[in-house]
Amino acid sequence: MQHQSATAGHTGRLDVFDIARGLALLAMAVYHLAWDLSWFSLVDWQVAKDPGWRGFAISIAASFLFLVGVSLALAHQDGIRWRAASMRIGRIALAASAISLGTFFALGDEFVRFGILHSIAVGSLVALPFVLAPAWATLAAALAVFVLPRFVAVSFPGDEWAMWTGLTQDPPLSVDYVPLFPWLAAILAGIAAVRLLRGKAPWALLARIRAGGRFTRVMALAGRHSMLVYLLHQPILFGSVWALVTLGLVPDGTDRAFLEQCTASCSIARDGPTCERICSCTLETMRGDGAWERLLDAPQDPALNATLNERYAACFETLPPDAPAN
């Protein structure tokens, strides 16, 4: 999307907004990588619930939506270009549909029903008339959108269809949920910011920011192709972590939990390093003939648990006679 330069009579992109969008993408990649590691139980971070991580995610989404408002205000400052706007919103809606479909097959009931791309598509359409409205009216609308969910929370049979509004009491569980209310407020705030600052000293300062260094050039490039980067980064990250776990290059959460519990129990009679070798030997032996996978599928199976104890005893016996004990 082309941005109108602050320099009179010159049309071009403002690097500062491309850089800002690129930084938001980088922050999103960091968050999604942490989420992926948590999903595969490779870390004990509560990414989906921890207030710090949740605050990080909220700030990322808000920055994206604010920049959407900035782009709308710059692209339509001389009048709403309905054809261009319709094509852009259509592309985003198509991408949002692809995200919903892909996550449905990957995550089941927690699939993305109305995520950040859905919110950008619908929010851009709803916010478009405000690009020509006075800044004070846009700010008032943003405030109303932001506070409305605090006072309105409806519940009725079959209300799942209305979850996109953000005004339902119990929306379905989803890994990415960015409803129109209150998130439209961020888009409106971006529009109002351009209306308030354009032509003034702060705007001139922003216009002088250039992507001169290597890092800022990379961020600006990502920002100019934000849709492509957004669609590709999570499949690449999630697929890479999945491949590492599947190939056994990193232990998954179940492996780690077993090794921790096994080592703790073993340490009653042996020192820590020796117990770590015993437990690793047990796990590797169980994996070698497929008994570990069968045990994961049927953790209460007496025969498989007996096999686990036998493998542990065998690994214990392989220690040299002078292996240190507590």
Side-chain angles (χ1 to χ4, degrees), residues 61-62 64-66 68-69 72 88-89 92-93 95-97 99-100 112-127 145 163-166 176-188 230:
F64 269 114
L65 294 169
F66 180 86
V68 167
L72 285 174
R88 173 182 173 275
I89 292 171
I92 297 172
S97 300
I99 292 291
S100 292
V112 177
R113 292 171 168 85
F114 199 85
I116 185 69
L117 288 185
H118 304 72
S119 192
I120 290 174
V122 177
S124 294
L125 182 61
V126 175
V145 168
M163 55 90 68
W164 63 274
T165 64
D176 184 25
Y177 180 48
V178 188
L180 194 63
F181 293 86
W183 291 98
L184 176 62
I187 299 179
L188 294 175
Y230 179 83

Side-chain angles (χ1 to χ4, degrees), residues 17 46 51 63 93 96 131 156 163 245 276:
F17 297 126
Q46 298 296 316
S63 65
V131 298
F156 53 89
M163 55 90 68
V245 172
E276 290 175 2

Side-chain angles (χ1 to χ4, degrees), residues 193-228:
V194 173
R195 301 281 290 175
L196 288 171
L197 297 178
R198 186 171 174 79
K200 298 183 174 60
W203 190 265
L205 292 175
L206 292 174
R208 284 198 289 269
I209 296 176
R210 294 288 183 264
R214 179 177 299 176
F215 177 75
T216 54
R217 286 200 301 271
V218 171
M219 291 297 99
L221 179 63
R224 286 193 291 272
H225 302 282
S226 56
M227 177 69 74
L228 180 63

Side-chain angles (χ1 to χ4, degrees), residues 68-91:
V68 167
V70 170
S71 295
L72 285 174
L74 293 174
H76 305 282
Q77 60 185 329
D78 297 324
I80 298 177
R81 299 157 52 222
W82 288 104
R83 184 173 183 275
S86 298
M87 291 180 63
R88 173 182 173 275
I89 292 171
R91 288 194 298 269

